[in-house]
Amino acid sequence: MQIINRRNLNQLITDEPVIFIRNINHYFGKGSIRKKVLHNINLDIYPGEIVIMTGPSGSGKTTLLSLIGALRSCQPGSGSLKVIGQELCNAKPNQLIATRRQIGYIFQGHNLLDSLTARQNVELSLELHNHSSGKARQAKARRMLQAVGLGNQINSYPENLSGGQKQRVAIARALVANPKIILADEPTASLDKKSGRDVVELMQNLAQEQGCTILLVTHDNRILDIALRVIYMEDGYLVVD
């Protein structure tokens, strides 16, 4: 187990890590059925990096991603998990919320609301920030949908979109608020080869334009070449160079 690909990392490490993990452990269950699912995880990810995390199903990838995204709480006795300078272990609820607002999430199942149009789904992300008027949010959502190639589908509902188009809406929703980090969990799992490739290249290009960091979990070996680093996880252990 080793890093599969690592290029030009020294150009990035002059900055502080945007994700800093030291000695993180995690358990599921209690008592006699308590099982350790993460073992002493240590990882640094720097601003602007595109990192892919791969490994077998059940190896702990999604659990780690949810901890980094402040969607799951660190357990007592854990080490340190800092995201965008905020320590998440023992963090208060308002600190977790503030961290989530700086992260864009892309999930395998799109997680679009069927009752909302593509534009309205993207606008939801902007409403969490309350920094602009309704008209400004609508205009920004339109521009982002145009950027992902859905200028003709702005008012379409999810039921009228293909799988690739739904994932493009999810990318637009994740990026519209200019997050510092994008966390993506199996974003190509339900897509064919071409659609999957188009989606990750789109994500890569837009994220680079905005200067944000990407951590992407995948089993899809066809997209490994977009990453600056590929790290491998197995049985709850993360192996890095």
Side-chain angles (χ1 to χ4, degrees), residues 11-213:
Q11 297 176 7
L12 297 169
I13 61 175
T14 54
D15 297 320
E16 291 294 319
V18 70
I19 298 171
F20 173 90
I21 304 175
R22 290 294 180 272
N23 302 318
I24 287 294
N25 298 283
H26 201 78
Y27 299 83
F28 286 156
K30 296 180 179 180
S32 61
I33 61 170
R34 191 174 189 236
K35 180 181 178 181
K36 194 172 187 178
V37 294
L38 295 178
H39 301 264
N40 297 319
I41 302 296
N42 291 278
L43 179 66
D44 291 339
I45 297 178
Y46 292 87
E49 273 199 280
I50 299 175
V51 178
I52 282 180
M53 179 162 51
T54 188
S57 296
S59 59
K61 302 184 302 297
T62 296
T63 299
L64 180 58
L65 201 72
S66 64
L67 287 170
I68 293 170
L71 300 175
R72 187 189 301 272
S73 297
C74 296
Q75 293 172 333
S78 288
S80 177
L81 172 54
K82 292 182 181 178
V83 176
I84 319 172
Q86 173 63 56
E87 176 61 66
L88 298 186
C89 293
N90 301 314
K92 298 178 180 178
N94 64 318
Q95 293 172 320
L96 295 175
I97 291 170
T99 299
R100 290 185 203 120
R101 287 177 174 169
Q102 299 182 74
I103 298 173
Y105 303 91
I106 302 173
F107 302 98
Q108 177 179 340
H110 319 302
N111 287 2
L112 303 181
L113 294 179
D114 292 336
S115 61
L116 301 181
T117 65
R119 175 184 60 78
Q120 291 169 333
N121 267 283
V122 174
E123 275 186 67
L124 279 179
S125 183
L126 293 171
E127 291 176 3
L128 296 174
H129 297 266
N130 297 319
H131 294 322
S132 55
S133 66
K135 288 184 177 180
R137 291 196 298 269
Q138 289 180 22
K140 192 168 185 179
R142 287 194 190 97
R143 289 195 298 271
M144 184 55 68
L145 285 166
Q146 289 168 350
V148 300
L150 293 178
N152 295 327
Q153 303 288 347
I154 288 172
N155 295 314
S156 295
Y157 288 90
E159 65 181 359
N160 297 317
L161 300 175
S162 69
Q165 288 172 330
K166 290 176 184 177
Q167 200 62 298
R168 286 170 181 260
V169 175
I171 291 171
R173 181 183 59 190
L175 286 163
V176 71
N178 300 108
K180 294 183 179 180
I181 297 173
I182 294 289
L183 300 178
D185 193 2
E186 300 285 2
T188 66
S190 60
L191 305 179
D192 59 41
K193 180 178 179 180
K194 184 180 185 307
S195 297
R197 186 74 195 186
D198 289 345
V199 160
V200 295
E201 288 182 350
L202 178 64
M203 187 191 316
Q204 177 189 32
N205 293 335
L206 291 174
Q208 286 178 339
E209 288 175 10
Q210 295 188 7
C212 69
T213 300

